[in-house]
Each structure stands twice: as C-alpha cells, then as structure tokens.
C-alpha cells in the first residue's frame, strides 16, 4: 500500500505542471521549461515507473507469504 502512496506523490508534481501548461498552450505559446525543472520532472516520472515495476513483484511476494511479519 505504501508503494501506491509513493506513486501518487511522484505523479502529483508532474501532473500539476502539465495542467498549468494548458494556459500557455491555449494562448499559442510554448511552455517555459528550464533544464533543472526538466531534470526534476524526468526524475519523478522515472521514479514513478520504477515503483510501478516493483509493484507486481511485491504483490507476488505477499501472495506467496503470509505477510511481512
């Protein structure tokens, strides 16, 4: 369950950033994206993908055992 929370936290900032870009796109402007912000967004999205990859593995481990205790 903690992985679900982690994925949602990882996806919150990129989602809000993309939503705020709608104003610029509707005004036919290209959204401003600095290199540091790009690296931050890229890292968050990669972290989200890693968590999604680990999720089935953790589910299989929990199904084969009686839990984490």
């Amino acid at each position: 369950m903690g992985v679900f929370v982690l994925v949602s936290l990882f996806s919150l900032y990129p989602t809000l950033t993309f939503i705020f870009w709608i104003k610029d796109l509707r005004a036919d402007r290209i959204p401003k994206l600095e290199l540091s912000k790009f690296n931050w967004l890229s890292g968050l999205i990669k972290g989200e993908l890693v968590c999604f990859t680990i999720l089935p593995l953790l589910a299989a481990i929990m199904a084969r055992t009686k839990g984490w205790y």
Side-chain angles (χ1 to χ4, degrees):
M1 188 161 132
V3 178
F4 283 116
V5 173
L6 193 60
V7 166
S8 65
L9 290 176
F10 277 160
S11 68
L12 185 64
Y13 184 73
T15 302
L16 292 176
T17 301
F18 298 149
I19 288 172
F20 289 135
W21 283 357
I22 292 174
K23 295 176 194 174
D24 289 334
L25 293 173
R26 286 189 180 160
D28 291 331
R29 291 189 308 249
I30 298 173
K32 295 180 182 177
L33 184 62
E34 298 145 5
L35 184 59
S36 61
K37 191 170 186 178
F38 172 78
N39 290 334
W40 179 250
L41 289 171
S42 176
L44 287 174
I45 293 171
K46 288 176 186 176
E48 187 178 350
L49 290 173
V50 167
C51 288
F52 272 132
T53 305
I54 292 173
L55 198 60
L57 175 66
L58 293 175
I61 290 171
M62 287 179 63
R64 292 186 179 265
T65 62
K66 293 181 182 180
W68 292 105
Y69 53 92

